[in-house]
Amino acid sequence: MKKQIAVLPGDGIGPEIVQEAIKVLDVVAAKFGHDFNYTYADMGAIAIDKTGEPLPKATLDVSLGSDAVLFGAIGDPKYDNDPNAKVRPEQGLLAIRKALGLFTNIRPVKTFDALLHQSPLKEDRVKGTDFVMYRELTGGIYFGEKKLSADKNTASDLCQYTRGEIERISHLAFAAARKRRNILTLIDKANVLESSRLWRRVVTELHQTEYNDVELRFLFVDNAAMQMILAPNQFDVILTSNLFGDIISDEGSVIGGSIGLLPSASVGEKYALFEPIHGSFPQGAGKGIANPIAMILSAAMMLTHFDMDTEAKAITDAVDLALANGVCTPEVFPEGNYSTSDVGDFIANNIA
Ligand code: IPM
Ligand code: MN
């Protein structure tokens, strides 16, 4: 199959980990007879440095013209500590999500047996954890009206959702639950927020009319944050709004022992973007210590999106083998001495 892929390495460790994902994709293409064509473009701080814009039009055009977007990481400390900065790298990511209509962010959280001892939680609690978050990605407080008073002493961000925005992601989340253990947990703050009450109403209606074979549970987000630490293996599919999903997915991401292991997919009606959950880790850039596995698994999610299930499984099997053999970067196996490219080589060679 022929596929056109937009590759946006981004900032910090982004370029290093993207390089490993491409290494792996090239091996998959050769082995399974596919033709992957890559077009590189800039997004984030690197794009601001070159053009003044976090998402240059050329990058958006390349992305709109591709079958999928593979994205590394975004962010640079020189913008983080300046609340007055006019442009920020993160605006590039928010803008591309909006422009491509990527309303659902899918973040699987799975523990690897070989790494259970790495978890900050007790092994018996994390064992068997395997859930997937469906985070709304183009609405809510992230995109609501922002206000700053003239004297700059009062500010607000509107959290607004429409029925349609809730319905379209809910359909995907219910369908995902059906293919898994059939449990959907809606995480919200319906005891306080009107927008959360709308989520509950709409999700309950869909459940009654179309998905009553799925077990539907509700959790307030504060309780959910606690439950994720107490018993993360109780979750199957989690459905939640943009900000709650942002927070809870970082919490979920460390359960398995390293945030460097978890991929994500952002999908809409027409386009899809694949990126690791972690950020740009600027302190680690250029040192060969960045874990490429989350990026490589994001490439695997892209192949699943292309209906290349066997190819995707070849990647996930090779990743499992790497971890089972102690082949990973120092934050996972401090004694191992494997660099970013060593890990990519091991995975690529095992697929070949
Ligand atoms: C994420 C990130 C982004 C978000 C930032 C970089 C804008 O934290 O993908 O979770 O908040 O959505
Ligand atoms: Mn986040």
Side-chain angles (χ1 to χ4, degrees):
M1 225 188 273
K2 218 177 150 134
K3 292 289 176 192
Q4 176 62 41
I5 300 162
V7 181
L8 318 181
D11 304 324
I13 58 168
E16 303 162 46
I17 56 171
V18 160
Q19 195 176 336
E20 300 312 310
I22 300 295
K23 188 187 277 175
V24 168
L25 284 172
D26 281 342
V27 168
V28 168
K31 177 162 177 170
F32 293 89
H34 298 303
D35 179 6
F36 297 151
N37 187 37
Y38 313 107
T39 309
Y40 285 77
D42 292 321
M43 183 166 83
I46 175 133
I48 299 176
D49 291 346
K50 288 190 194 169
T51 69
E53 303 268 339
L55 176 64
K57 186 172 178 302
T59 301
L60 184 57
D61 288 345
V62 163
S63 304
L64 290 167
S66 299
D67 296 304
V69 181
L70 206 56
F71 165 58
I74 211 159
D76 189 298
K78 71 183 174 204
Y79 299 95
D80 292 347
N81 305 325
D82 176 8
N84 296 316
K86 286 264 174 330
V87 280
R88 294 175 181 285
E90 289 78 3
Q91 289 164 345
L93 184 55
L94 297 175
I96 200 169
R97 287 174 179 168
K98 198 73 176 174
L100 300 186
L102 308 175
F103 59 81
T104 299
N105 183 221
I106 305 168
R107 298 186 163 180
V109 173
K110 216 175 149 167
T111 51
F112 294 86
D113 279 341
L115 300 183
L116 283 182
H117 63 284
Q118 290 277 351
S119 174
L121 304 181
K122 294 198 178 75
E123 267 190 64
D124 59 318
R125 299 210 171 178
V126 282
K127 205 170 169 49
T129 295
D130 176 3
F131 62 85
V132 56
M133 307 230 355
Y134 276 63
R135 167 191 173 194
E136 203 288 328
L137 202 59
T138 53
I141 196 167
Y142 270 59
F143 292 92
E145 189 185 358
K146 296 182 190 305
K147 284 188 188 163
L148 180 62
S149 66
D151 66 3
K152 297 200 170 165
N153 288 325
T154 306
S156 65
D157 299 88
L158 178 68
C159 181
Q160 178 171 294
Y161 272 108
T162 64
R163 168 176 289 272
E165 285 174 321
I166 298 168
E167 277 176 355
R168 60 189 182 179
I169 183 173
S170 299
H171 283 296
L172 298 183
F174 274 118
R178 274 186 179 155
K179 288 198 184 156
R180 295 173 47 98
R181 298 193 306 280
N182 220 30
I183 306 167
L184 179 69
T185 306
L186 175 64
I187 291 179
D188 63 23
K189 190 73 187 172
N191 49 347
V192 177
L193 303 178
E194 201 58 51
S195 53
S196 284
R197 288 193 276 272
L198 180 64
W199 273 83
R200 277 211 187 194
R201 242 182 357 258
V202 172
V203 170
T204 302
E205 275 172 36
L206 280 181
H207 179 241
Q208 283 165 356
T209 53
E210 291 183 55
Y211 301 99
N212 63 15
D213 54 305
V214 176
E215 183 182 336
L216 177 61
R217 300 177 183 171
F218 302 102
L219 266 187
F220 296 137
V221 63
D222 48 351
N223 188 11
M226 189 168 72
Q227 294 299 327
M228 198 160 281
I229 299 298
L230 290 177
N233 52 15
Q234 71 184 280
F235 296 108
D236 181 20
V237 178
I238 288 173
L239 170 62
T240 192
S241 60
N242 204 340
L243 181 62
F244 296 157
D246 179 49
I247 298 167
I248 297 264
S249 63
D250 264 35
E251 187 185 3
S253 72
V254 292
I255 291 172
S258 169
I259 193 173
L261 299 171
L262 297 178
S264 85
S266 302
V267 302
E269 300 289 345
K270 194 155 176 237
Y271 299 101
L273 176 148
F274 302 85
E275 60 168 310
I277 286 188
H278 61 72
S280 60
F281 186 31
Q283 320 85 285
K287 296 187 182 153
I289 57 170
N291 188 343
I293 288 187
M295 187 74 234
I296 290 170
L297 290 174
S298 300
M301 286 185 92
M302 178 180 77
L303 298 184
T304 305
H305 175 76
F306 292 156
D307 286 324
M308 298 180 182
D309 290 339
T310 315
E311 292 85 333
K313 185 155 189 304
I315 297 181
T316 53
D317 285 350
V319 166
D320 286 346
L321 197 70
L323 293 174
N325 281 283
V327 179
C328 198
T329 38
E331 97 286 5
V332 174
F333 295 124
E335 63 294 344
N337 245 323
Y338 290 99
S339 69
T340 307
S341 63
D342 292 337
V343 177
D345 286 344
F346 183 93
I347 294 167
N349 291 338
N350 271 289
I351 296 170

